[in-house]
């Protein structure tokens, strides 16, 4: 089942009165349960593509359908609700709410969804156990390491039970051990819960874990490769 | 909502020093404004009290039209309606009658016009403390057939205590009023104006003189303080009008009311400037908070927080600063002004002389009436609400993608 379907996607920016095409006619479909990585040099359009898929930015042209719902022409307010209920985000700089504890950060997104307190409590504990941070349940982000913060961010992204998770260079600020730990958690979630992950990354360790590697260059898909256990399959 | 209150509260303390400095500015403004308002209200209350006790009383009852005509013909006899109305109004603590009309006073070749006021010497003295202004001679004793004059009037007539004065006036319903009266004493008031034309005599003798037995031009009423005037009026007016005209101290003393109104307006401008300065302080803090957390706000909207909710959190932060400032400010001011209420601040030296030369008591009085504190709370609340518009408008125009990029 297709989670995301993109047709002839275009995103232009005005740069010093010159139009720059950050995304230039991308066609793409992501199936449920995929562990997809988008790679490419800086400025190739990885983050722009992720932002467009996440409804954080509006395309100049083309279509984006998520679960057969068109989001490219949705109002801001509807998009916010759509993101809340369908998309999980993991950012490069973790971006947890600094005044909330690990548990509160996870519960917050469920509170936005209007879920009952008991359910929020139960799920936040389950998610913190899943990312191995149950002992830091009451710690605020400033008291957590970068790796721990990113694991909480993954738990937060999962809390809303999204259709897929968009992760923009999630390991860029992490050391090797934390990166490996995070990837293991994400891989397990993908494997056990069939959660769809879409990454943008420069990190070879992330690429090695991926089922599918999409290479972008100058806003166009240069290659789209399926791979298994590090073996590339065209 | 609880979560929003919690997040806003915690956000406030992310930069503890900055919040403390901003709250301190609000506290300082509240303390200064409360102090000056308390002093103003205390001084006004004292001024009103002095003036009403000096002459007018808080409430006066006349016949309709007397206040405009000041005619001896517009007099009244006390009746059961009047007595019952006064007895059934608990706010009224004191009453005394007066009979007053224009009279010519003469001695030898000198004749002057004056306001001759018939008073109950004992009651008038307890109301206005008239005897303390005696400069020469004695105050009137009850039933005394003599007269006392203000100092400039006595000087212009060239009379001293013990001299006999000729009084000539028009009495009730056109009767001719004339009498010889011994001068018992000379009054010297602090106000030069009052020293020019005041003359007092016993009420019963004044009634005989004017040919108006048992009649009065006014009944002067006192209440404990001027805040009770409105309540007393609510009780009196329906019972007495239209048979009588009931006037309050502010109708009887329009000049004083104008002076207080003008003074209050001046103070409002000063306090306005103070609060504008403090308002910019709070606004500066909110702008800094917004700038520092722009990316975080982008993240909150990205993960699914509606803009109105983020606006509410940020507006709450502004309101929290105002609320904490007001609470601490009032908590600090209350014991200070309460102490000053029981220990008014006397002026000394030249400044005291300046005040006294204008007939004003050289003492600063304070007040703890609720308005002194409530006005500050309302002002800061409105200020915080206005400042809260900044984050509300900023978030409305926030582009999530720009915020995430840190633009």
């Amino acid at each position: 089942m297709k989670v995301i379907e993109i047709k002839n996607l275009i995103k232009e920016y005005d740069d010093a009165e010159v139009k720059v095409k950050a995304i230039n006619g991308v066609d793409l479909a992501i199936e449920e349960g995929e562990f997809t990585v988008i790679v490419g040099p800086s400025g190739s359009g990885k983050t722009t593509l992720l932002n467009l898929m996440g409804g954080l930015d509006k395309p100049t042209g083309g279509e984006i359908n998520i679960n057969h719902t068109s989001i490219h022409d949705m109002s801001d307010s509807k998009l916010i609700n759509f993101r809340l209920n369908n998309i999980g985000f993991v950012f490069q700089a973790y971006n947890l709410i600094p005044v909330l504890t690990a548990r509160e950060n996870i519960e917050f997104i469920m509170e936005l969804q209007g879920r009952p307190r008991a359910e929020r409590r139960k799920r936040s504990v389950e998610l913190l156990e899943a990312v191995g941070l149950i002992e830091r349940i009451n710690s605020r982000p400033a008291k957590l390491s970068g790796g721990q913060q990113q694991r909480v961010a993954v738990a937060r992204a999962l809390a809303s039970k999204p259709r897929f998770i968009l992760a923009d260079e999630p390991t860029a600020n992490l050391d090797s051990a934390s990166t490996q730990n995070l990837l293991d958690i994400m891989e397990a979630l993908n494997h056990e819960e069939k959660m769809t992950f879409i990454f943008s990354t420069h990190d070879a360790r992330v690429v090695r874990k991926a089922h599918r590697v999409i290479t972008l260059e100058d806003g166009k898909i240069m290659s789209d490769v399926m791979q298994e256990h590090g073996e590339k399959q065209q | 909502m609880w979560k929003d209150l919690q997040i806003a509260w915690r956000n406030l303390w992310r930069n503890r020093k900055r919040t403390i400095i901003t709250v301190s500015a609000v506290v300082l403004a509240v303390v200064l404004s409360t102090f000056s308002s308390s002093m103003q209200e205390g001084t006004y209350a004292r001024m009103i009290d002095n003036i009403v006790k000096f002459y007018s009383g808080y409430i006066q009852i006349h016949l309709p039209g007397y206040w405009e005509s000041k005619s001896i013909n517009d007099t009244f006899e006390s009746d059961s309606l009047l007595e019952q109305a006064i007895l059934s109004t608990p706010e009224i603590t004191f009453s005394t009658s007066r009979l007053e009309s224009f009279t010519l006073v003469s001695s030898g070749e000198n004749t002057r016009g004056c306001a001759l006021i018939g008073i109950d010497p004992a009651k008038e003295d307890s109301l206005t403390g008239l005897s303390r202004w005696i400069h020469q001679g004695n105050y009137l004793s009850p039933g005394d057939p003599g007269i006392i004059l203000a100092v400039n009037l006595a000087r212009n007539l060239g009379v001293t205590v013990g001299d006999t004065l000729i009084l000539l006036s028009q009495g009730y319903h056109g009767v001719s009023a004339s009498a010889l009266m011994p001068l018992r004493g000379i009054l010297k008031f602090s106000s030069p104006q009052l020293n020019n034309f005041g003359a007092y005599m016993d009420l019963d003798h004044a009634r005989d003189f004017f040919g108006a037995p048992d009649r009065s031009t006014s009944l002067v009423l006192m209440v404990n303080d001027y805040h009770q005037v409105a309540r007393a009026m609510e009780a009196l007016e329906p019972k007495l009008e239209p048979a009588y005209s009931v006037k309050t101290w502010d109708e009887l003393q329009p000049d004083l009311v104008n002076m207080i109104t003008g003074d209050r307006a001046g103070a409002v401008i000063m306090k306005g400037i103070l609060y504008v300065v403090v308002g910019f302080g709070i606004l500066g803090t909110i702008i800094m908070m917004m700038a520092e957390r722009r990316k975080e706000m982008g993240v909150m909207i990205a993960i699914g927080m509606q803009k109105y909710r983020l606006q509410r959190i940020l507006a709450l932060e502004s309101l929290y600063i105002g609320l904490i400032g007001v609470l601490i400010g009032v908590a600090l001011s209350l014991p200070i002004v309460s102490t000053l209420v029981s220990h008014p601040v006397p002026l000394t030296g030249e400044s005291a002389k300046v005040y006294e030369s204008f007939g004003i008591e050289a003492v600063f009085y304070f007040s703890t009436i609720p308005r002194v504190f409530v006005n500050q709370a309302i002002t800061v609340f409105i200020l915080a609400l206005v400042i809260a518009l900044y984050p509300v408008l900023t978030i409305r125009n926030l582009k999530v993608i720009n915020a995430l990029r840190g633009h």
Side-chain angles (χ1 to χ4, degrees), chain B residues 107-182:
Chain B
S107 173
E109 296 294 310
N110 300 320
T111 303
R112 292 285 184 275
C114 73
L116 180 65
I117 307 163
I119 55 167
D120 178 321
K123 279 188 165 183
E124 193 71 28
D125 194 33
S126 73
L127 173 72
T128 64
L130 193 60
S131 64
R132 74 193 150 110
W133 302 109
I134 287 290
H135 176 56
Q136 282 174 27
N138 299 307
Y139 183 63
L140 295 170
S141 51
D144 194 324
I147 187 169
I148 52 177
L149 294 184
V151 65
N152 292 349
L153 184 60
R155 191 182 301 132
N156 292 336
L157 289 166
V159 292
T160 57
V161 173
D163 288 352
T164 299
L165 301 170
I166 303 163
L167 275 66
L168 189 64
S169 185
Q170 184 183 317
Y172 184 56
H173 283 176
V175 300
S176 176
S178 59
L180 293 174
M181 292 209 171

Side-chain angles (χ1 to χ4, degrees), chain B residues 30-139:
Chain B
V30 169
V31 170
L32 288 176
S33 295
T34 306
F35 185 83
S36 74
S37 293
S38 169
M39 191 164 78
Q40 257 187 322
E41 292 302 326
T43 306
Y44 295 155
R46 183 71 179 190
M47 218 184 270
I48 293 164
D49 202 49
N50 278 346
I51 285 182
V52 298
K53 280 185 181 160
F54 192 78
Y55 183 67
S56 71
Y58 282 114
I59 298 169
Q60 279 193 17
I61 297 170
H62 314 118
L63 268 199
Y66 169 75
W67 193 247
E68 293 75 28
S69 70
K70 299 278 166 56
S71 165
I72 190 76
N73 293 331
D74 292 328
T75 52
F76 60 90
E77 279 186 55
S78 185
D79 58 14
S80 59
L81 171 71
L82 204 53
E83 282 163 12
Q84 197 54 44
I86 290 165
L87 282 173
S88 62
T89 308
E91 286 80 15
I92 295 169
T93 54
F94 186 87
S95 69
T96 185
S97 295
R98 288 184 190 145
L99 181 66
E100 180 178 347
S101 189
F102 179 78
T103 301
L104 290 173
V105 190
S106 182
S107 173
E109 296 294 310
N110 300 320
T111 303
R112 292 285 184 275
C114 73
L116 180 65
I117 307 163
I119 55 167
D120 178 321
K123 279 188 165 183
E124 193 71 28
D125 194 33
S126 73
L127 173 72
T128 64
L130 193 60
S131 64
R132 74 193 150 110
W133 302 109
I134 287 290
H135 176 56
Q136 282 174 27
N138 299 307
Y139 183 63

Side-chain angles (χ1 to χ4, degrees), chain B residues 114-395:
Chain B
C114 73
L116 180 65
I117 307 163
I119 55 167
D120 178 321
K123 279 188 165 183
E124 193 71 28
D125 194 33
S126 73
L127 173 72
T128 64
L130 193 60
S131 64
R132 74 193 150 110
W133 302 109
I134 287 290
H135 176 56
Q136 282 174 27
N138 299 307
Y139 183 63
L140 295 170
S141 51
D144 194 324
I147 187 169
I148 52 177
L149 294 184
V151 65
N152 292 349
L153 184 60
R155 191 182 301 132
N156 292 336
L157 289 166
V159 292
T160 57
V161 173
D163 288 352
T164 299
L165 301 170
I166 303 163
L167 275 66
L168 189 64
S169 185
Q170 184 183 317
Y172 184 56
H173 283 176
V175 300
S176 176
S178 59
L180 293 174
M181 292 209 171
L183 180 61
R184 293 278 186 250
I186 294 173
L187 298 157
K188 190 175 181 182
F189 298 110
S190 55
S191 158
Q193 203 183 359
L194 288 170
N195 285 330
N196 289 336
F197 52 82
Y200 296 84
M201 63 193 292
D202 177 76
L203 181 60
D204 288 336
H205 286 285
R207 283 169 172 166
D208 285 346
F209 173 69
F210 287 114
D214 300 325
R215 303 192 77 82
S216 308
T217 48
S218 55
L219 182 62
V220 181
L221 306 177
M222 291 299 285
V223 291
N224 269 335
D225 65 71
Y226 79 100
H227 300 109
Q228 292 186 345
V229 171
R231 219 176 313 147
M233 284 297 281
E234 276 171 28
L236 285 174
E237 273 181 327
K239 291 175 194 162
L240 294 177
E241 286 183 350
Y244 293 93
S245 160
V246 189
K247 290 193 181 295
T248 55
W249 67 270
D250 45 344
E251 293 172 283
L252 300 166
Q253 303 284 351
D255 292 346
L256 176 65
V257 173
N258 288 341
M259 192 277 281
I260 290 174
T261 309
D263 198 49
R264 274 203 180 112
V268 164
I269 293 169
M270 290 308 293
K271 281 181 215 160
I273 293 169
L274 179 67
Y275 276 119
V276 164
V277 171
V278 170
F280 276 111
I282 303 176
L283 182 63
T285 298
I286 297 293
I287 290 173
M288 292 283 279
M289 280 179 173
M290 296 284 295
E292 284 168 3
R293 282 156 40 197
R294 196 172 165 78
K295 190 169 184 187
E296 184 185 317
M297 290 168 199
V299 170
M300 287 172 117
I301 297 169
I303 64 173
M305 181 182 250
Q306 287 289 352
K307 283 185 174 181
Y308 74 86
R309 203 167 158 190
L310 189 53
Q311 287 169 327
R312 190 164 68 193
I313 290 175
L314 293 161
L316 280 170
E317 290 174 28
S318 164
L319 290 175
Y320 271 143
I321 291 176
L323 185 70
I324 300 168
V326 165
L327 289 178
I328 298 176
V330 169
L332 286 176
S333 322
L334 194 59
I336 298 172
V337 294
S338 298
T339 308
L340 290 168
V341 164
S342 44
H343 299 90
V345 181
L347 288 179
T348 52
E350 285 304 309
S351 13
K353 282 180 189 161
V354 171
Y355 273 79
E356 278 161 1
S357 70
F358 285 103
I360 300 169
E361 221 177 338
V363 180
F364 286 139
Y365 291 91
F366 290 80
S367 168
T368 49
I369 57 167
R371 189 170 63 220
V372 166
F373 305 99
V374 171
N375 283 356
Q376 315 316 317
I378 292 171
T379 309
V380 173
F381 181 71
I382 292 170
L383 196 65
L385 274 184
V386 171
I387 291 163
L389 285 176
Y390 175 79
V392 166
L393 294 175
T394 307
I395 294 299

Side-chain angles (χ1 to χ4, degrees), chain A residues 4-213:
Chain A
I4 303 172
E5 194 171 13
I6 291 171
K7 288 177 188 165
N8 193 26
L9 193 67
I10 295 170
K11 179 66 188 178
E12 288 178 347
Y13 292 111
D14 290 329
D15 189 7
E17 295 179 5
V18 178
K19 283 198 188 306
V20 176
K21 278 193 174 172
I23 297 294
N24 190 2
V26 166
D27 291 297
L28 179 66
I30 306 278
E31 295 287 334
E32 189 175 14
E34 275 189 13
F35 200 86
T36 303
V37 165
I38 301 170
V39 295
S42 293
S44 59
K46 302 185 296 293
T47 299
T48 304
L49 183 58
L50 245 62
N51 287 339
L52 290 167
M53 282 196 274
L56 299 173
D57 205 356
K58 297 263 186 189
T60 313
E63 289 178 25
I64 307 168
N65 294 300
I66 292 172
N67 285 331
H68 309 293
T69 304
S70 156
I71 66 159
H72 52 274
D73 49 4
M74 247 184 208
S75 71
D76 279 356
S77 174
K78 280 186 180 166
L79 254 180
I80 291 173
N81 266 338
F82 188 84
R83 286 198 298 265
L84 175 64
N85 295 308
N86 292 279
I87 309 170
F89 291 93
V90 179
F91 301 95
Q92 181 180 333
Y94 331 129
N95 290 332
L96 298 173
I97 301 171
V99 294
L100 301 182
T101 63
R103 165 190 263 171
E104 287 168 336
N105 261 289
I106 297 164
E107 282 189 17
F108 183 64
I109 202 152
M110 292 185 274
E111 201 211 332
L112 291 175
Q113 290 179 308
R115 299 224 211 135
R117 184 184 160 88
E119 185 191 335
R120 298 198 309 254
R121 289 263 138 164
K122 185 168 173 279
R123 185 152 173 82
S124 61
V125 170
E126 283 170 4
L127 287 167
L128 281 168
E129 274 171 349
V131 297
L133 283 175
I134 193 67
E135 78 283 2
R136 308 306 304 270
I137 190 165
N138 291 320
S139 300
R140 288 198 189 178
K143 300 282 178 194
L144 301 172
S145 69
Q148 288 172 327
Q149 285 188 56
Q150 198 60 299
R151 278 146 65 190
V152 175
V154 170
R156 177 179 69 178
L158 288 163
S160 63
K161 297 185 176 166
R163 310 293 303 188
F164 61 93
I165 287 178
L166 293 172
D168 187 11
E169 309 220 21
T171 58
N173 295 339
L174 303 183
D175 59 30
S176 301
S178 300
T179 298
Q180 196 53 52
N181 184 262
L182 187 75
L183 288 172
D184 289 345
I185 289 166
M186 287 175 161
E187 194 176 32
L189 289 166
N190 172 255
H191 191 69
E192 288 158 18
E193 296 189 19
K194 298 285 173 228
M195 177 56 66
T196 310
F197 282 93
I198 304 156
F199 294 81
S200 77
T201 190
H202 285 109
D203 191 333
R205 290 164 298 187
V206 181
V207 177
R208 277 199 295 275
K209 292 271 183 188
H211 304 160
R212 183 179 177 188
V213 180

